[in-house]
Amino acid sequence: MAFIDYYKVLGISKSATAKEVKAAYRKLARKYHPDLNPNDKAAEQKFKEVNEANEVLSDPEKRKKYDEYGKDWKHADQFEQAKQQQGQYQQSQSRQGASQSFEGGDYSDFFEQMFGGGFTGGRGRNVRFKGQDFNADLELNLSELYETHKRTLTINGKKIRITIPAGIHNEQIIRIKGQGGEGANGGPKGDLLIRFILHNDTPFKRDKDNLYSSVDLDLYTALLGGEIEVKTFDGKVKLKVPPETQNGTKVKLKSKGFPKYKKPNEFGDLYLTYELKLPTKLSSEEKELFQKLSKIRNT
């Protein structure tokens, strides 16, 4: 496989910050996305290269290996192990009067020598390497995660149908086995790691599995009590308001919060805060009645 300069693909320098990598990736991913370039093979290939570059350069560990080993970065751990084995072998040969050296030289050449065509260890086993893991961000609205549903994604030009469980949290990552890059020497495929970016399109504030909201309460219901209708995430419910309810009173509605991740039929709670709304544009008769009430309260 020809070497691909991931920095060149994203149009950034090797000293680019993580923020600059992310910005470059998002710009190019939008530009070459298959949905915006239907039946465009060149754009599809470019989109794949942009994703590959982001997979590596957005991960500090992968980027470090890529900077050091170039096209062989995916096998950096095995390469380090091979260097150690080479060192041990040299020591063994030196004790027997034979000496081999590996100083400087080209890492890639040595890697090909050790692993080309499948590295054969002392017991004759071919080393198999797992394929590269792919990373992807999926942006969703909070309202879409109240129920488990299926969705089709396009990853590196390939359509993948996944199940999105209800209750996923912002920036949570799920791993889908076998949907990454191809393995080497018959090794297993890599995995697909999806990070969820959530946008709150609801009137509720979410904290883990609990939801929070405020409810307007008119003066008369607060003073005399009564019944009001309030919104929950999945519909409306009626609440009884006790007489003389104070501004800022909090009410807990058990199991009316958000679904708990991978716990069917389990929900967090909904917390409502009453916000007292005073009447405005009082008529002369209303003002007179309030004045009488004020005199009664103060006598």
Side-chain angles (χ1 to χ4, degrees):
M1 180 183 294
F3 174 67
I4 299 177
D5 188 335
Y6 291 146
Y7 290 100
K8 187 175 181 180
V9 169
L10 294 183
I12 56 177
S13 67
K14 287 190 175 182
S15 61
T17 64
K19 185 176 181 180
E20 290 171 334
V21 171
K22 185 176 182 179
Y25 163 68
R26 287 188 170 181
K27 179 181 178 181
L28 293 173
R30 285 195 297 268
K31 180 178 179 181
Y32 295 109
H33 196 283
D35 291 346
L36 300 179
N37 301 274
N39 302 318
D40 188 334
K41 294 296 183 181
E44 181 178 328
Q45 178 61 30
K46 190 67 177 179
F47 183 73
K48 181 178 180 180
E49 292 179 0
V50 167
N51 273 281
E52 285 183 10
N54 182 63
E55 293 293 334
V56 177
L57 301 185
S58 64
D59 185 306
E61 284 297 318
K62 291 179 180 178
R63 183 175 180 178
K64 181 180 178 182
K65 292 176 181 178
Y66 175 76
D67 287 344
E68 184 170 358
Y69 297 109
K71 69 182 180 66
D72 297 320
W73 73 270
K74 287 186 285 186
H75 305 308
D77 293 339
Q78 290 84 356
F79 179 61
E80 288 296 330
Q81 183 179 3
K83 285 189 354 183
Q84 292 177 7
Q85 293 174 351
Q86 174 75 0
Q88 294 170 359
Y89 176 74
Q90 289 174 5
Q91 293 177 6
S92 174
Q93 292 291 357
S94 295
R95 287 193 295 268
Q96 298 175 23
S99 175
Q100 294 184 7
S101 64
F102 174 67
E103 297 179 358
D106 182 71
Y107 282 152
S108 182
D109 290 343
F110 178 69
F111 189 90
E112 291 294 331
Q113 177 186 348
M114 297 298 293
F115 294 101
F119 169 63
T120 301
R123 298 184 181 179
R125 294 178 299 174
N126 287 333
V127 176
R128 297 184 302 165
F129 300 114
K130 179 182 177 182
Q132 178 185 354
D133 287 343
F134 291 160
N135 292 281
D137 287 349
L138 179 58
E139 299 190 19
L140 295 172
N141 288 324
L142 186 61
S143 59
E144 297 178 89
L145 295 174
Y146 193 76
E147 295 181 346
T148 297
H149 67 283
K150 295 185 181 294
R151 179 164 298 204
T152 300
L153 308 179
T154 301
I155 306 295
N156 289 344
K158 179 182 178 182
K159 292 188 180 297
I160 301 174
R161 189 164 177 79
I162 66 171
T163 297
I164 302 177
I168 279 180
H169 292 273
N170 187 43
E171 297 198 350
Q172 182 175 340
I173 296 174
I174 65 172
R175 179 185 294 269
I176 301 177
K177 296 286 188 180
Q179 294 294 342
E182 296 290 338
N185 293 336
K189 286 186 176 181
D191 303 327
L192 170 62
L193 283 75
I194 301 178
R195 183 178 64 159
F196 291 86
I197 307 298
L198 306 186
H199 303 286
N200 193 346
D201 60 336
T202 77
F204 302 96
K205 177 183 177 182
R206 182 188 184 192
D207 182 10
K208 297 181 180 177
D209 301 319
N210 295 326
L211 297 175
Y212 297 82
S213 185
S214 60
V215 176
D216 291 344
L217 193 63
D218 68 84
L219 175 64
Y220 310 106
T221 303
L223 288 173
L224 304 174
E227 189 175 76
I228 62 172
E229 191 174 66
V230 298
K231 291 181 179 180
T232 68
F233 211 98
D234 62 345
K236 295 181 179 181
V237 297
K238 291 184 178 180
L239 288 182
K240 288 185 177 180
V241 180
E244 301 180 11
T245 294
Q246 300 297 306
N247 183 50
T249 297
K250 290 181 171 56
V251 178
K252 174 183 173 181
L253 301 186
K254 188 172 179 59
S255 297
K256 283 295 182 180
F258 214 68
K260 294 186 178 181
Y261 180 67
K262 287 194 173 180
K263 293 183 178 180
N265 302 317
E266 291 189 30
F267 296 80
D269 302 321
L270 170 60
Y271 293 86
L272 302 175
T273 301
Y274 289 140
E275 292 187 354
L276 188 59
K277 297 299 180 182
L278 298 177
T280 59
K281 299 180 180 179
L282 298 176
S283 67
S284 57
E285 184 178 1
E286 287 176 317
K287 290 179 181 179
E288 184 179 345
L289 289 172
F290 277 114
Q291 288 171 352
K292 289 182 179 179
L293 285 174
S294 178
K295 287 179 181 181
I296 294 173
R297 293 290 293 178
N298 294 323
T299 55

